């Protein structure tokens, strides 16, 4: 099993980065792992901590319409270059916490995605250099108020509500380029989304290079790489699960805000 890097909070409210063991103990690191955090003698037992989102980025850069079949289902062409937008860090929540359905919307959708975690300050890098800037991989759900996205001239409100970026549950360092992403609703055994991540129009290295020509990426920043075909509606009471082979599963329930 790949090493799983977590961010946790103990019963006193202290936040740590650490390595999740098979026993579910957490071996605490002395700093975030992308800042060369090293193992300490502190070990947290399973009933003494809560798993948080695995990083606390300065920004979340997301990519729209990065799978051809998703662009088609949205009634648009594949963009000629990456379509990027920002989600505020305040919309991040951990796995096993609640997506809160805002009263301003009557249509909120799930969007399961692969997320990249940046490990080094990145500016004006080439695609060849970009691979070394990706520290690890996790899972995201780019929750979207679809009716507001269609109504507004830009996407900030539709994408930026509190709780609209479930992230986690942990970070892994390596990932099979052909890993499958699947999204499930409630107890249905059939996924509502299913695609291999190598079906992206613009692959991760290209995305990091492209974004770095626009803005500096800081260690711990997150890049959402786009969602495949099959986006759909969430309702209050739903449970949504995004799985990526080699990482795990991100699960959240939907409640009324």
């Amino acid at each position: 099993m790949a090493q799983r890097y977590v961010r946790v909070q103990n019963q006193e409210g202290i936040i740590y980065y650490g390595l999740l063991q098979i026993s579910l103990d957490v071996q605490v690191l002395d700093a975030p792992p992308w800042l060369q955090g090293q193992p300490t003698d502190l070990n947290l037992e399973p009933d003494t901590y809560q798993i948080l989102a695995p990083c606390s980025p300065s920004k979340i850069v997301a990519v729209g319409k990065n799978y051809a079949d998703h662009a088609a289902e949205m009634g648009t062409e594949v963009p000629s270059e990456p379509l990027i937008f920002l989600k505020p860090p305040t919309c991040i929540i951990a796995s096993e916490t609640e997506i809160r359905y805002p009263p301003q919307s009557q249509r909120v959708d799930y969007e399961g995605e692969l997320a990249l975690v940046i490990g080094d300050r990145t500016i004006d890098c080439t695609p060849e250099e970009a691979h070394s800037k990706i520290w690890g991989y996790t899972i995201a759900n780019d929750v979207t108020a679809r009716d507001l996205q269609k109504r507004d001239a830009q996407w900030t409100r539709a994408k930026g509500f509190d709780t609209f970026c479930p992230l986690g549950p942990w970070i892994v360092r390596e990932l099979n380029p052909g890993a499958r992403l699947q999204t499930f609703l409630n107890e249905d055994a059939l996924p509502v989304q299913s695609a291999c991540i190598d079906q992206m129009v613009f692959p991760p290295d290209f995305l990091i290079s492209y974004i770095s020509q626009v803005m500096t990426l800081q260690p711990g920043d997150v890049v959402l790489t786009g969602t495949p075909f099959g986006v759909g509606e969430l309702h209050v009471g739903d449970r949504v699960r995004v799985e990526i082979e080699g990482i795990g599963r991100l699960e959240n329930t939907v409640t009324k805000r």
Side-chain angles (χ1 to χ4, degrees):
M1 179 182 292
Q3 287 188 315
R4 297 170 293 176
Y5 292 85
V6 293
R7 181 169 159 265
V8 300
Q9 185 173 42
N10 71 4
Q11 294 167 332
E12 288 72 44
I14 302 172
I15 295 174
Y16 299 101
Y17 288 89
L19 273 169
L20 184 64
Q21 309 297 316
I22 294 177
S23 64
L24 300 185
D25 286 5
V26 171
Q27 183 179 24
V28 170
L29 306 177
D30 60 10
W34 43 89
L35 298 181
Q36 291 74 54
Q38 297 300 310
T40 68
D41 294 332
L42 180 58
N43 198 66
L44 303 179
E45 296 181 353
D47 58 351
T48 65
Y49 66 83
Q50 174 187 359
I51 288 187
L52 306 176
C55 56
S56 181
S58 73
K59 56 187 168 294
I60 307 160
V61 187
V63 180
K65 303 175 184 176
N66 198 28
Y67 289 79
D69 53 2
H70 172 59
E73 77 172 332
M74 301 304 289
T76 62
E77 300 291 329
V78 173
S80 60
E81 56 185 354
L83 173 62
I84 61 173
F85 59 94
L86 294 172
K87 289 174 78 81
T90 47
C91 66
I92 291 176
I93 57 172
S95 188
E96 301 294 347
T97 59
E98 296 175 347
I99 298 166
R100 298 198 301 273
Y101 203 117
Q104 297 94 325
S105 176
Q106 281 72 54
R107 172 65 189 261
V108 172
D109 285 7
Y110 57 81
E111 294 190 8
E113 308 201 7
L114 171 68
L116 315 175
V117 179
I118 301 302
D120 192 15
R121 188 173 185 271
T122 305
I123 182 169
D124 292 334
C125 79
T126 66
E128 293 74 24
E129 295 167 334
H131 184 72
S132 66
K133 305 296 186 179
I134 300 171
W135 192 88
Y137 306 88
T138 189
I139 307 171
N141 188 346
D142 177 19
V143 181
T144 303
R146 192 70 69 199
D147 53 347
L148 302 184
Q149 183 184 28
K150 292 177 180 178
R151 186 187 311 169
D152 294 350
Q154 44 71 43
W155 299 355
T156 301
R157 181 167 65 137
K159 299 280 191 175
F161 283 99
D162 288 354
T163 78
F164 269 27
C165 190
L167 191 70
W170 43 68
I171 301 167
V172 300
R173 296 299 312 275
E174 302 294 336
L175 190 65
N176 183 335
R180 182 165 291 277
L181 181 156
Q182 294 184 301
T183 304
F184 297 84
L185 278 182
N186 300 316
E187 302 305 318
D188 196 335
L190 294 177
V192 290
Q193 291 184 291
S194 182
C196 293
I197 60 175
D198 59 7
Q199 294 174 247
M200 291 179 195
V201 177
F202 303 106
D205 292 356
F206 186 92
L207 294 176
I208 298 303
S209 173
Y210 181 88
I211 294 165
S212 79
Q213 314 298 318
V214 179
M215 66 189 80
T216 300
L217 291 168
Q218 302 286 2
D221 279 354
V222 170
V223 174
L224 309 187
T225 58
T227 197
F229 174 84
V231 298
E233 192 169 1
L234 290 170
H235 300 91
V236 172
D238 280 348
R239 187 168 181 83
V240 58
R241 181 174 87 246
V242 185
E243 297 184 357
I244 299 180
E245 291 176 325
I247 303 179
R249 57 175 56 182
L250 172 70
E251 296 194 59
N252 299 90
T253 52
V254 183
T255 62
K256 187 175 181 179
R257 179 165 173 172

